């Protein structure tokens, strides 16, 4: 089973990276940067192609999407290479030269391989060890929508961001109890659907594969690209990002555990690469044509972020706002050639103007009507001001613990930027992100929405944003620590360290950082011992993999019996909160109620309302008979029929069943129903009254 998992992961990774890589190589981007930037094209291309296919009536699948993109990318590459010549492939978009081209390329390739290798190994250990089986999935509220949307994509062949639904096929759309819809970012779902349609894995397995691809491949390559561009003048910093990329509990791991917030995970993984493209626009030595090409790539990257999760665009803004302010503050010196005592006040003035413009854009978007439902969404405070500040200070970020080693590295990195001031803006980016997290964590007033509203005032997302930016400060802190240790050893021995010894010191420091950030949690997965926030990641993954609180193994087996008993297209009425919401989402059983919230609202169909409240009276209630007949339902499924003295598990949205009395009230002797399958408190009834 794990063999198929990693085979499909390879197929999805190639499908995500290869089209963008081929196009970027055609435009002359350096190989390693092409790998880093490739998903920025691939992610958006799959979503846009899905939208176009819906309009054209073409069925989306791995063959029709990835196959077409492979061919298009190859054509673009061939045309560009014929026009530009083979030498075009050596363009590095403004990266400064360090010795011979071969030396620079080999260094970049070695660093990229290190990022990817550590990413695959680290993610592989956590996914394989703690998932247990490739098709384990989190039985949480958000995952009903994630799994159901993937299944809807596969069933309908429609992968459009304007048509995502748990009722995606034409037959299901006709009986949707809650019709309506609109734009929803679907990039992560498209990647997961590639997995299902390429090798036939389940939706549950596909979401794990999509997460693995983003965590093990996209995030490390994205982080490499950002560090390679940012530290181009100090390239020895770059390798130190490899061991730091996946160490923060707040990101990517808490987004996997809480919610789960998989689309946000995928979007955040691409943010560093998008930032790298933006930084390259300001590199000296770029030609006009290269800047135009970078601008086009940046626009495509923003589209990819928005199609994955729009709040990633605001995360990018938090990361780059201090850089933009710094760049504008340099205008008097770089472009106006001002010198002398007047330069400092002018730089402050220009920087202040840039800050005012950024704040104005921020407030304009905050007050934009199309974002009102997002920015006004409220999460209650989880701590007071001191507790939230402490959580940020120790890099806990909602992970139920601290990561003191990483926190020390972040501080070391921030101090290091005071000496190498060209990177000082990164410290301000991290401080800005932490400030958003702290305000969002303790406040319940307007400031909470102004600063955290773009992330639904969700402290987990805000903590993930701070953790993402913290990766690069921690890497710089690790490099700074390495330099200090080498200097101290050399001074003590009164001789400079050999290159081999210097590399050995770096490897030892990296190992200490990894162990100090994770080991206390690895020793006893699921236990409450240890003081490292990463413990909650490990125990949380173990809990999700081994515990089925709502939809247990017996119910899954019963659903498989149901699938073998009823016709494939038979519609089955159910109570989604008893676990049967996952019967569709994970096991593709055609149930009627697939969402677990938002019933008793104006958008609900009359048939749905009647069935929820009065189905048990179908034998002598003409309205119920008409409602059931109009949707074509033939069966009723109960996974937790229950007994007076037995409390059956339900999702938190069940609310004591007050909205489901018409279905919950059915028993074996209720007129109008015939028992088809019975096991414990699980029942499948055939509706005989219509």
């Amino acid at each position: 089973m794990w063999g198929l998992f990693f085979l499909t992961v390879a197929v999805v990774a190639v499908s995500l990276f290869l089209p963008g890589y081929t196009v970027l190589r055609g435009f002359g981007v350096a190989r390693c940067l092409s790998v880093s930037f490739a998903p920025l094209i691939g992610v958006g291309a799959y979503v846009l192609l899905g939208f176009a296919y819906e309009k054209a009536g073409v069925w989306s699948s791995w063959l029709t999407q990835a196959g077409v993109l492979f061919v298009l990318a190859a054509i673009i590459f061939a045309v560009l290479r014929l026009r530009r010549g083979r030498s075009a492939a050596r363009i590095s978009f403004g990266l400064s030269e360090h010795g011979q081209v071969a030396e620079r390329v080999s260094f970049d390739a070695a660093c990229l391989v290190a990022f990817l290798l550590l990413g695959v190994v680290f993610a592989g250990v956590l996914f394989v060890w703690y998932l247990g089986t490739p098709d384990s999935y989190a039985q949480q509220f958000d995952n009903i929508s994630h799994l159901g949307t993937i299944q809807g994509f596969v069933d309908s062949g429609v992968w459009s961001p304007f048509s995502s639904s748990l009722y995606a096929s034409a037959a299901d759309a006709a009986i949707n109890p809650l019709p309506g819809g609109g734009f929803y970012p679907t990039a992560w779902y498209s990647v997961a659907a590639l997995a299902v349609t390429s090798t036939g894995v389940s939706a549950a397995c596909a979401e794990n594969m999509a997460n693995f691809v983003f965590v093990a491949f996209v995030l490390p390559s994205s982080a490499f690209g950002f560090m390679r561009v940012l530290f181009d003048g100090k390239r020895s910093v770059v390798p130190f990002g490899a061991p730091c990329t996946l160490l923060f509990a707040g990101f990517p791991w808490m987004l996997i555990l809480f919610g789960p917030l998989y689309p946000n995970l995928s979007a955040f993984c691409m943010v560093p690469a998008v930032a790298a493209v933006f930084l390259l626009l300001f590199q000296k030595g770029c030609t006009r044509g290269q800047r135009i090409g970078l601008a086009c790539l940046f626009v495509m990257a923003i589209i990819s972020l928005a199609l994955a999760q729009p709040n990633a665009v605001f995360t990018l803004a938090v990361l780059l706002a201090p850089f933009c302010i710094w760049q504008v503050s340099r205008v008097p010196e770089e472009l106006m050639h001002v010198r002398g005592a007047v330069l400092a006040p002018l730089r402050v003035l220009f920087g202040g103007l840039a800050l005012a413009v950024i704040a104005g854009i921020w407030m304009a978007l905050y007050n934009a009507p199309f974002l009102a439902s997002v920015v006004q969404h409220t999460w209650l405070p989880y701590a007071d001001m001191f507790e939230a500040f402490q959580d940020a200070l120790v890099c806990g970020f909602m992970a139920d613990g601290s990561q003191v080693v990483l926190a020390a590295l972040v501080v070391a990195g921030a101090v290091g930027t005071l000496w190498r001031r060209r990177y000082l803006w990164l410290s301000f980016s991290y401080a800005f992100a932490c400030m958003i997290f702290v305000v969002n964590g303790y406040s319940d007033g307007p400031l909470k929405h102004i600063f955290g509203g773009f992330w639904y005032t969700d402290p987990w997302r805000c903590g993930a944003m701070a953790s993402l930016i913290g990766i690069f400060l921690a890497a710089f802190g690790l490099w700074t620590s390495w330099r200090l240790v080498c200097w101290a050893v050399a001074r003590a021995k009164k001789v400079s360290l050999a290159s081999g010894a210097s590399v050995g010191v770096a490897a030892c420091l990296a190992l200490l950082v990894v162990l100090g950030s994770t080991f206390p949690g690895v020793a006893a997965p699921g236990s409450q011992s240890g003081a490292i926030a990463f413990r909650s990641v490990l125990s949380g993954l173990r809990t999700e993999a081994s515990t089925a609180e709502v939809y247990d193994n017996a119910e899954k087996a019963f659903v498989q019996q149901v699938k073998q008993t009823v016709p494939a297209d038979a519609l089955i009425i159910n109570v989604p909160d008893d676990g049967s919401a996952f019967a569709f989402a994970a096991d593709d059983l055609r149930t009627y109620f697939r969402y677990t919230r938002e019933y008793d609202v104006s958008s609900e169909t009359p048939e749905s309302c009647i069935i929820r409240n009065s189905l048990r009276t179908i034998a002598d209630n003409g309205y119920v008979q008409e409602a059931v007949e109009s949707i074509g339902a033939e069966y009723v499924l109960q996974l937790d029929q229950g007994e007076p003295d037995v409390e059956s598990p339900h999702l938190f949205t069940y609310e004591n069943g007050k909205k489901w009395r018409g279905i919950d009230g059915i028993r074996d002797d209720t007129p109008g129903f015939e028992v088809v399958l019975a096991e414990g408190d699980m029942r499948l009834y055939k509706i005989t009254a219509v």
Side-chain angles (χ1 to χ4, degrees):
M1 187 174 289
W2 282 110
L4 179 60
F5 178 90
F6 286 109
L7 172 63
T8 309
V9 161
V11 171
V12 173
V14 169
S15 303
L16 192 59
F17 278 83
L18 186 57
Y21 176 84
T22 305
V23 170
L24 290 170
R25 291 292 292 147
F27 277 104
V29 182
R31 288 182 177 86
C32 291
L33 285 182
S34 293
V35 173
S36 181
F37 299 158
L40 305 182
I41 295 177
V43 166
Y46 282 114
V47 180
L48 295 175
L49 194 59
F51 173 73
Y53 277 2
E54 180 197 22
K55 298 301 180 182
V58 177
W59 186 278
S60 286
S61 67
W62 178 84
L63 183 62
T64 59
Q65 287 231 0
V68 167
L69 287 184
F70 289 156
V71 172
L72 286 177
I75 293 173
I76 293 171
F77 175 82
V79 171
L80 290 173
R81 289 296 291 270
L82 286 173
R83 289 186 58 188
R84 299 172 61 89
R86 295 185 61 84
S87 61
R90 297 183 180 178
I91 297 174
S92 58
F93 272 158
L95 290 178
S96 60
E97 298 292 334
H98 298 279
Q100 298 298 318
V101 171
E103 178 189 353
R104 173 174 53 80
V105 171
S106 63
F107 174 82
D108 287 353
C111 288
L112 177 58
V113 169
F115 273 81
L116 290 172
L117 183 61
L118 287 176
V120 170
V121 171
F122 199 85
V125 169
L126 264 65
F127 273 76
V128 174
W129 188 2
Y130 287 97
L131 274 179
T133 61
D135 55 358
S136 297
Y137 57 90
Q139 294 192 19
Q140 299 183 43
F141 174 74
D142 286 21
N143 211 27
I144 294 172
S145 178
H146 297 334
L147 289 168
T149 302
I150 296 170
Q151 195 62 60
F153 273 24
V154 174
D155 290 345
S156 67
V158 176
W159 298 8
S160 169
F162 294 95
S163 301
S164 64
S165 171
L166 274 64
Y167 299 84
S169 68
D172 285 351
I175 54 94
N176 188 349
L178 299 167
F183 171 81
Y184 189 83
T186 56
W188 178 84
Y189 301 103
S190 295
V191 174
L194 287 174
V196 179
T197 57
S198 61
T199 59
V201 297
S202 66
C205 194
E207 72 172 11
N208 291 327
M209 293 169 179
N211 291 337
F212 188 89
V213 168
F214 278 104
V215 170
F217 294 100
V218 178
L219 177 57
S221 64
S222 178
F224 160 79
F226 178 72
M227 292 195 67
R228 182 62 185 88
V229 174
L230 175 62
F231 298 110
D232 186 43
K234 188 62 64 177
R235 67 174 188 165
S236 60
V237 180
V238 178
F240 290 88
C244 296
T245 301
L246 298 182
L247 287 187
F248 280 80
F251 177 78
W253 307 108
M254 289 311 295
L255 293 188
I256 293 177
L257 291 175
F258 176 77
L261 304 175
Y262 299 149
N264 234 128
L265 167 75
S266 67
F268 277 19
C269 286
M270 295 186 288
V271 166
V274 184
V277 175
F278 187 80
L279 295 184
L280 281 172
L281 285 167
F282 295 87
Q283 289 278 347
K284 293 181 180 179
C286 283
T287 66
R288 180 182 177 184
Q290 289 171 348
R291 293 192 194 280
I292 293 174
L294 283 168
C296 294
L297 177 58
F298 183 71
V299 171
M300 183 63 188
I302 292 295
I303 292 173
S304 292
L305 286 187
L307 292 174
Q309 176 49 257
N311 66 44
V313 178
F314 294 96
T315 299
L316 180 71
V318 171
L319 173 59
L320 293 177
F323 173 79
C324 293
I325 294 171
W326 175 60
Q327 285 291 331
V328 173
S329 74
R330 297 174 63 198
V331 169
E333 181 180 11
E334 298 291 330
L335 298 182
M336 301 170 62
H337 305 292
V338 175
R339 298 291 185 271
V342 73
L343 177 60
L346 270 180
R347 289 197 65 179
V348 172
L349 175 62
F350 273 70
L353 290 174
L355 176 61
V357 170
I358 291 171
I361 295 172
W362 188 282
M363 292 305 299
L365 290 171
Y366 172 75
N367 290 295
F370 72 95
L371 288 173
S373 62
V374 174
V375 299
Q376 295 306 321
H377 186 85
T378 300
W379 276 90
L380 295 176
Y382 82 95
D384 59 31
M385 183 187 296
F386 176 76
E387 290 170 336
F389 175 77
Q390 185 182 44
D391 200 14
L393 185 64
V394 299
C395 294
F397 298 121
M398 304 301 296
D400 190 26
S402 63
Q403 290 192 287
V404 178
V405 174
L406 285 178
L409 286 183
V410 168
V411 172
V415 172
T417 62
L418 293 175
W419 271 265
R420 300 187 181 275
R421 294 188 180 179
R422 63 179 297 183
Y423 311 123
L424 182 59
W425 64 267
L426 187 62
S427 296
F428 282 94
S429 298
Y430 182 72
F432 185 21
C434 287
M435 184 270 290
I436 292 174
F437 171 78
V438 172
V439 171
N440 188 66
Y442 81 85
S443 174
D444 58 359
L447 284 178
K448 183 185 189 75
H449 296 279
I450 291 173
F451 286 107
F454 297 117
W455 297 268
Y456 304 93
T457 68
D458 182 347
W460 282 271
R461 298 180 210 249
C462 295
M465 171 176 61
S467 298
L468 172 62
I469 300 173
I471 290 170
F472 308 109
L473 266 186
F476 193 60
L478 182 57
W479 175 83
T480 303
S481 302
W482 169 67
R483 291 295 300 268
L484 286 173
V485 171
C486 290
W487 173 82
V489 172
R491 184 173 183 182
K493 291 187 174 184
K494 296 182 180 181
V495 62
S496 60
L497 284 180
S499 59
S502 179
V503 171
V505 170
C508 290
L509 284 175
L511 181 61
L512 288 174
V513 168
V514 172
L515 294 178
S517 301
T518 62
F519 182 73
V522 174
S527 73
Q528 296 302 311
S529 61
I532 303 300
F534 212 88
R535 180 199 69 221
S536 62
V537 170
L538 302 172
S539 62
L541 287 172
R542 171 61 80 185
T543 299
E544 286 190 5
S546 62
T547 303
E549 296 179 352
V550 178
Y551 189 43
D552 60 31
N553 290 332
E555 291 170 339
K556 293 176 184 177
F558 187 77
V559 165
Q560 293 305 314
Q561 292 183 52
V562 172
K563 290 183 68 174
Q564 295 173 9
T565 302
V566 305
D569 60 345
L571 182 63
I572 303 171
I573 296 173
N574 63 305
V575 176
D577 301 279
D578 66 5
S580 58
F582 292 106
F584 167 75
D587 293 321
D588 198 22
L589 183 69
R590 191 170 180 246
T591 53
Y592 180 50
F593 292 107
R594 301 171 188 177
Y595 294 107
T596 58
R597 264 186 174 175
E598 307 304 328
Y599 295 96
D600 263 344
V601 292
S602 59
S603 60
E604 183 182 12
T605 63
E607 293 82 4
S608 171
C609 185
I610 291 171
I611 289 170
R612 283 191 303 102
N613 292 304
S614 307
L615 180 62
R616 61 183 177 180
T617 66
I618 191 171
D620 53 10
N621 189 324
Y623 292 106
V624 177
Q625 294 172 7
E626 291 178 7
V628 170
E629 191 170 6
S630 68
I631 65 170
E634 300 178 54
Y635 297 89
V636 176
L637 174 67
Q638 292 179 338
L639 295 182
D640 290 303
Q641 188 178 81
E643 299 176 6
D645 298 327
V646 176
E647 182 179 354
S648 297
H650 291 81
L651 291 165
F652 72 93
T653 50
Y654 185 57
E655 298 175 340
N656 296 320
K658 61 184 180 181
K659 296 179 181 178
W660 305 101
R661 291 170 182 164
I663 304 172
D664 279 340
I666 299 172
R667 293 294 182 267
D668 294 355
D669 57 355
T670 302
F673 302 93
E674 175 187 331
V675 178
V676 179
L677 292 174
E679 184 177 332
D681 62 353
M682 299 175 287
R683 296 290 187 275
L684 175 68
Y685 297 105
K686 182 172 180 61
I687 302 173
T688 59
V690 294

